[in-house]
Amino acid sequence: MAPDAILASQSPRVGRPFDLTAGAPAKLWTEAWPLGNGQLGAMVFGGHPVDRIALNEESLYAGYPLPQGQPDVQGRLGQVQELLHRGEFEKADREVSSHLLGRGQECYQPLGDLSIRFEGAGEFSDYQSTLEMDSGLVRVELTDGDGCRHEREYLASAVHGVLVVRLRAGDPGRLNFQIRLASPHPVETLASEPELQIAGHLPAICLRRSWEWIEAHGDQGKYPEVYDELGRLRPGARPVTYDLTGYPKGLEFCAGLNVRLNGGGDVTVRDDALQISGATDAVIVLAAASSYVSFDAPADCDPKREVRRALERVRGHDYDGIRADHVLEHRRLFDRVQFSLAGRASSPNSREWRGDPASTLRLTEVLFHFGRYLLIASSHPTCRHPANLQGIWNEEITPPWASAYTTNINLEMNYWPAGPANLPECHEPLFRLIEECALNGRITAEKSYGLPGWVLHHNTDVWRKTDPVDNIARTAFWPMGSGWLCCHLWEHYLFFGDEKFLCERAYPLMKGACEFYLGWLTQGDDGWLVTPVSTSPENDFVTPDGRTGSVSAGATMDLSILRELFSATGQAALICGDAGFSEKLVSAGKRLRPFRIGQHGQLQEWAEDWDRPDDHHRHVSHLFGVFPGSQIHSKTPDLQRAAFRSLKLRGAGGTGWSQAWKAAIFARLGEPEKAADCLLALLLPAERNNAGADLGGDGDVNVGGVYPNLFAACPPFQIDANFGFTAAVCEMLLQSHDGVIRLLPSLPREWSEGTVRGLLARGGIEASIRWSGGLLVEASILARSPGFREFGYGSRTCSIMFRVGEERTLRPRDFA
């Protein structure tokens, strides 16, 4: 089923976003509709006669807390630097891969399935399922083989902390069904009218690597749970192991539900299931919990008790009340922004084969809103943990890339829409992760590096791992995660101006990250400060004399992040009364090696001119200074041209998240048609997009797209491109990174008619914009904080002094 086939007509509520609809039940997980309240996730298949709801709970990760600071970076640093100085890059790679990496991160786990089996004829007709993004509901309607009309409604309430399913039959007494709870993990089932419960525990270890891989890399010593002191597998060892003698068990978990019948019917227990007979209207209320307490504490919370408490809290609330509370809270966040396009391409162009222009515009709107919907559902401010590589939705015990938090692009991309798309509260779970990683990161900084402050490498999990993970140097040695994440703290302040947040929460974390990097930096042979052991995430280079490697000193991305971090922290230090530290950062920032332009006119990815014209790698890490950074802009035209050249050399291909990142960069560079090209690549059905593609994403081929339920493909499913799509659209409509709030800075020709309401700009500005014929009609500007603001439209600007809460209307004639 192609994505454009699942678009419904616009909701009858004026200005509401589109619903997503399907004319048949989901057969695959990537066809099911996602629901979530941050803590609980559900994938609704809407099947008949069996309906599957796949369940997740945010804290369900394998493993347990482990000590940090294991790799001896300090002890091996001199040897790596000497190899780099001699140009022995392959040996440097091997040294880092063999001695400076840790063990793999733990895997995010599925909870299980809620299964509803309906009795009677299995045939059905007049089927439709709908995800209502603006209300956070899934609805299913069908007529069964006996002619009875059925309606189902599903929601995940952040207000009440439960998942709720309502089932109604059009004819009295015709609702007969059986409910089961199941899990891929070992569980015990307890059924007692009208309640059902499963309880079990997760793996103590869940390895993504095979025994052959671990042994080939000499990594046995990193896993004493399954390998003995001689590197031999212990008896009974399994890649997924639930009980380890002498080691803690995995987390315990529980899911429990009760059934409420309105208007008659009976509930009985049958074979560890609940049997409902003769009902007309039934409501299933489900809660789930784990024994997780903290990233560094024993798992001693009783999940059964927490489930009982959650169900008891909603016992006095009927379905209509729970639904009303849920919709009100969901719309409090979702309704802040509206976006609609009504234009058509003025003439045929090379992209029309992707679909007719009207469908393409409509799907662009839908994916923009879908990203906002997913952020609310997977990172609601009431939840504990941020959105991971799959948000909160995963059905595999060993998911792709562990469904972890990958900080060399993916976790950050998840939160790019939080500011501009007006969802600041959804940042809160990410900020908690940063605070917790800073505690473990101080241990890693001290024990591994012998340095002050704190550090995070390129992956973490629910246990807030801060050491490097396993694999090889180019994918795993990257101590810049703390620097990039701290930039999110500063961005939050720039958008919302909360000095209490800045000084009490953000600045101590930013300062701690800077303290580490100030100690990590060394002076290069050219006199500039550089990071001594550096990689450009997941890419490698070839020197002019044919030597290959991935480890060097001072890759461009490292220094771009530090330039951004030092500037932000220096400004925060002045605001928070720490002028001495600000001066220290200003001094260090001036000594960072500047950007360099290479022989192909490109922005160099490494210190040396090693960029290859045929390098079509999915990462564009060296362009961090364009986006999400703010160092390369209209006031640095030479660097802008070099960044554009780099994108051209990278080619048109890439994974889903890579296309989203490129779209945002092109938007910053003032290249709207090329930004639109990248977004259009994400509109393709994933199956069509990925045919014959190299799944590594290194070729000049597009391997992204979306699945039938509009989940983005990396491939496989990875949610960052959904969020990146929304963020890129925001950048095309409104920018504020260089001190000027620019209206419609990268508007493609195809978006000739449209409106957007509620986007945010740095400086506490909320903007609503209307345009026609590709030109600004008017913009309504609301100031949340006082002061002068400079606005730009095209090449013209104007300045306005605002009072708090003041609203102004800008038209083209207002720009000088």
Side-chain angles (χ1 to χ4, degrees), residues 354 367 655-657 659-660 663 677-685 689 702 704-706 712-713 721 724-725:
R354 302 171 195 261
L367 274 173
T655 56
W657 59 262
Q659 293 286 9
D677 277 336
C678 294
L679 296 187
L680 284 166
L682 288 167
L683 302 183
L684 282 173
N689 237 0
N702 187 63
V706 291
F725 187 100

Side-chain angles (χ1 to χ4, degrees), residues 178-348:
Q178 188 179 81
I179 306 173
R180 289 186 180 275
L181 285 172
S183 175
H185 308 294
V187 293
E188 294 181 351
T189 303
L190 176 64
S192 59
E193 306 165 10
E195 297 182 347
L196 183 64
Q197 177 181 286
I198 57 170
H201 69 277
L202 301 178
I205 189 169
C206 182
L207 298 177
R208 296 173 57 221
R209 314 297 183 192
S210 66
W211 302 138
E212 293 79 10
W213 190 98
I214 291 172
E215 291 160 15
H217 286 73
D219 278 0
Q220 297 96 313
K222 299 175 183 178
Y223 303 99
E225 309 98 316
V226 291
Y227 285 97
D228 65 20
E229 294 81 358
L230 299 178
R232 301 172 302 191
L233 274 174
R234 298 184 186 277
R238 298 286 186 276
V240 179
T241 304
Y242 288 86
D243 295 300
L244 296 167
T245 303
Y247 292 90
K249 286 187 174 183
L251 290 169
E252 296 180 0
F253 69 93
C254 176
L257 62 83
N258 59 44
V259 181
R260 308 174 185 181
L261 301 182
N262 304 307
D266 298 305
V267 182
T268 57
V269 175
R270 182 187 299 176
D271 299 327
D272 291 336
L274 295 182
Q275 181 69 43
I276 289 82
S277 305
T280 304
D281 185 334
V283 177
I284 304 167
V285 182
L286 180 142
S290 81
S291 57
Y292 181 88
V293 175
S294 174
F295 68 96
D296 60 353
D300 59 2
C301 177
D302 181 357
K304 295 179 183 178
R305 179 191 63 205
E306 296 305 310
V307 167
R308 286 195 300 270
R309 287 177 174 175
L311 294 176
E312 187 61 34
R313 284 194 296 268
V314 297
R315 194 171 297 278
H317 299 267
D318 63 12
Y319 177 76
D320 289 339
I322 294 173
R323 184 187 191 278
D325 291 343
H326 161 72
V327 172
L328 183 65
E329 168 60 12
H330 181 81
R331 288 181 177 164
R332 179 181 71 86
L333 300 171
F334 191 88
D335 283 358
R336 292 173 182 170
V337 173
Q338 293 181 10
F339 170 56
S340 62
L341 296 170
R344 283 180 173 270
S346 57
S347 60

Side-chain angles (χ1 to χ4, degrees), residues 493-499 741 761-766 781-791 799-808:
Y493 168 74
L494 291 181
F495 274 100
F496 306 105
D498 185 346
E499 284 195 16
I741 300 169
R762 295 164 185 84
I765 293 295
E766 181 175 314
I781 307 299
L782 174 65
R784 297 182 174 182
S785 56
F788 278 102
R789 302 291 184 271
E790 186 176 0
F791 295 86
S799 296
I800 300 175
M801 180 67 179
F802 283 96
R803 297 186 300 272
V804 175
E806 185 175 4
E807 188 168 5
R808 298 281 191 92

Side-chain angles (χ1 to χ4, degrees), residues 715-755:
F717 163 56
Q718 197 168 290
I719 203 169
D720 39 26
N722 287 112
F723 297 132
F725 187 100
T726 302
V729 171
C730 290
E731 289 298 319
M732 295 164 80
L733 300 176
L734 186 70
Q735 294 177 14
S736 58
H737 59 287
D738 62 353
V740 179
I741 300 169
R742 303 184 187 278
L743 308 178
L744 306 180
S746 284
L747 191 70
R749 289 189 300 270
E750 289 86 347
W751 299 8
S752 60
E753 310 283 333
T755 60

Side-chain angles (χ1 to χ4, degrees), residues 597-637:
I597 298 174
Q599 60 183 317
H600 308 292
Q602 88 287 4
L603 192 72
Q604 287 183 195
E605 188 162 358
W606 292 277
E608 305 301 326
D609 197 355
W610 292 332
D611 297 70
R612 307 187 305 276
D614 60 347
D615 180 6
H616 302 308
H617 197 269
R618 58 196 174 275
H619 282 261
V620 286
S621 305
H622 54 310
L623 303 184
F624 178 96
V626 182
F627 183 92
S630 58
Q631 301 149 43
I632 299 175
H633 43 68
S634 60
K635 298 173 186 177
T636 59

Side-chain angles (χ1 to χ4, degrees), residues 6 20 26 29-37 40-45 53-54 56 130-133 135-139 154-156 163 326 330 370-371 373-378 390-394 708-712 717 719 722:
I6 65 175
L20 305 181
W29 191 85
T30 49
E31 295 176 350
W33 300 131
L35 288 175
N37 63 9
L40 293 175
M43 296 293 289
V44 179
F45 284 66
I53 300 102
N56 291 101
T130 304
L131 169 59
E132 296 182 0
M133 287 190 288
S135 57
L137 301 170
V138 170
R139 296 173 53 82
Y154 315 71
L155 64 88
L163 174 73
H326 161 72
H330 181 81
F370 193 52
Y373 168 81
L374 293 174
L375 188 57
I376 296 168
S378 62
Q390 295 181 237
I392 195 175
W393 302 280
N394 165 48
N709 64 357
L710 297 189
F711 271 167
F717 163 56
I719 203 169
N722 287 112

